[in-house]
Amino acid sequence: MRLPVLVPLTGFVALEGTSQRNGALLAASQMRDVTLKPDVLDTQSTPEAAVTAWERTMGGGPAPAVVGPILGTQMLALLPLAQERSIPVLTISGTARLGELGNPWFFRFFPSDATVKVAHARYVVEKLGAKRPAIIYQSTAYGQSGREQLARTLGELKAPPVLEESIAPTVNDLTPALLRAKNANADVIVLHLHAASTVLAVRQARQLLPDLPIVAGSAMHQPATAALLEPAELKGVCAETAASPISATSGPMRAFLDSYRAAYKSEPDAFAAAQFDAVGMLGRIAGDLRKAGQPVAADAVRDHLARDTYQGIVTTYRSDGKGNMAHEAEIVCFDGSDRIPKPVARYAIPPRS
């Protein structure tokens, strides 16, 4: 069966998109009961490019589902097309709004901002004891979604942000934003940025505010992001994520880590692991349908995604009725000795009413 894989391989989220692609391809390569043939297209970094990739892949043969891009603006553009086509989209985009659109063909295998940002904020307040957080966030839909969830949760925890600073992906100097955080007497820097901006923020914060703790978004847990910083720069830096595969020492996650390294000669992150699980669940559903003598049709796959439970390497997945499949988040921290973060807290976040 053909599996379209629409991910950003160029542009400002290329690191995340490459991880997403690799996770999907690795899962497809390990299928036993069915054969999935990935058809990878680059969605670049704009909604228009994602729509173009969608139109191209829909001209091919039938597919039971589509892997959708991690970038929230691209998913917002594709979901109406998926509903028109009646085909499930498996994504790891964290943009919270995606789960509020009532689209029955949407399935998210990475915890949404409504989950990870609650964990992010709780760690800042409950574990670090911060009272005056400063939020620096990306100006993209991803950044705005995270900022909204962070500000709301920090307010509920009686530690409202003393600064909320929006940063475009093209900005190459965060000194003004960091100095404003310093002048606001912030006691922690809370980042919600894509990978390139995260690296810049951490590097410059260590120069300007060397003793201030930093709790970043999921981009910071990525080995490719950490590789751009010195271990000493990472000391006191934490990140929210769904998991940290490179921290695994045993079990299914360690097996995933070993197979990923063998296949790609690089280190996996939670984006790769979550997309691996998404395609793994698709493969199990397809196999079950085949064994039952039923066609692996998109509507049957959608029904199973909506009601089944799946034990992946990251977490146990089950839809909350809105297509949100993952409901746990993890905090990892760097100690300055190397670039491998240590898990320090894990949170199960029930959906908001």
Side-chain angles (χ1 to χ4, degrees):
M1 294 175 296
R2 193 172 67 98
L3 177 64
V5 178
L6 310 185
V7 293
L9 301 177
T10 54
F12 64 88
V13 285
L15 285 177
E16 294 92 331
T18 299
S19 292
Q20 188 181 9
R21 177 200 63 188
N22 291 352
L25 268 56
L26 185 61
S29 73
Q30 296 182 1
M31 295 293 169
R32 295 293 177 264
D33 297 329
V34 296
T35 300
L36 292 175
K37 296 181 178 180
D39 180 11
V40 180
L41 284 86
D42 181 11
T43 61
Q44 302 172 43
S45 59
T46 65
E48 294 80 8
V51 170
T52 298
W54 176 274
E55 291 172 347
R56 284 181 56 194
T57 199
M58 288 299 113
V66 174
V67 171
I70 189 172
L71 193 56
T73 51
Q74 295 187 331
M75 280 299 303
L76 288 168
L78 294 186
L79 281 181
L81 303 180
Q83 190 159 8
E84 289 177 8
R85 191 84 179 197
S86 298
I87 187 167
V89 180
L90 317 181
T91 188
I92 55 170
S93 177
T95 302
R97 185 183 165 204
L98 295 171
E100 304 302 322
L101 298 176
N103 192 315
W105 302 93
F106 164 74
F107 297 94
R108 184 204 325 259
F109 284 77
F110 197 86
S112 80
D113 289 338
T115 296
V116 291
K117 294 297 122 182
V118 171
H120 197 163
R122 284 183 57 186
Y123 183 80
V124 164
V125 176
E126 297 172 357
K127 301 297 184 180
L128 297 185
K131 301 293 185 184
R132 299 180 59 80
I135 300 175
I136 300 177
Y137 66 97
Q138 212 83 72
S139 61
T140 60
Y142 161 82
Q144 293 167 17
S145 172
R147 182 218 64 81
E148 179 184 355
Q149 301 294 330
L150 279 168
R152 176 166 63 173
T153 306
L154 288 167
E156 292 171 350
L157 295 171
K158 311 302 183 188
V162 295
L163 177 74
E164 297 180 44
E165 189 81 13
S166 175
I167 300 295
T170 53
V171 169
N172 56 17
D173 184 7
L174 271 69
T175 298
L178 292 167
L179 290 177
R180 280 192 280 274
K182 180 179 181 180
N183 292 337
N185 197 27
D187 56 6
V188 62
I189 299 294
V190 179
L191 302 179
H192 186 66
L193 303 165
H194 296 299
S197 296
T198 297
V199 170
L200 184 62
V202 170
R203 179 174 293 130
Q204 293 189 325
R206 282 296 163 256
Q207 296 167 355
L208 297 170
L209 308 165
D211 300 321
L212 207 59
I214 299 171
V215 186
S218 52
M220 186 63 256
H221 94 283
Q222 292 182 269
T225 303
L228 299 174
L229 294 160
E230 294 300 322
E233 293 177 306
L234 291 167
K235 186 174 182 180
V237 176
C238 299
E240 51 84 355
T241 182
S244 177
I246 63 168
S247 305
T249 57
S250 62
M253 186 65 83
R254 179 67 200 197
F256 166 77
L257 173 61
D258 292 340
S259 61
Y260 189 99
R261 283 172 168 170
Y264 301 111
K265 306 300 185 289
S266 61
E267 304 287 8
D269 54 29
F271 302 134
Q275 197 65 69
F276 177 89
D277 281 347
V279 175
M281 185 173 186
L282 172 63
R284 193 197 70 179
I285 290 170
D288 289 347
L289 288 169
R290 283 270 176 88
K291 290 174 184 177
Q294 301 175 24
V296 185
D299 56 349
V301 169
R302 192 217 76 85
D303 291 345
H304 279 276
L305 287 166
R307 69 171 182 258
D308 288 2
T309 298
Y310 179 71
Q311 180 60 58
I313 59 170
V314 174
T315 188
T316 300
Y317 298 91
R318 186 177 179 84
S319 176
D320 63 352
K322 299 179 179 180
N324 299 305
M325 306 292 284
H327 313 287
E328 292 184 298
E330 188 169 83
I331 304 296
V332 297
C333 295
F334 298 87
D335 63 13
S337 64
D338 56 28
R339 296 184 177 91
I340 300 177
K342 313 299 187 293
V344 298
R346 192 162 185 88
Y347 298 87
I349 310 295
R352 287 182 183 269
S353 58

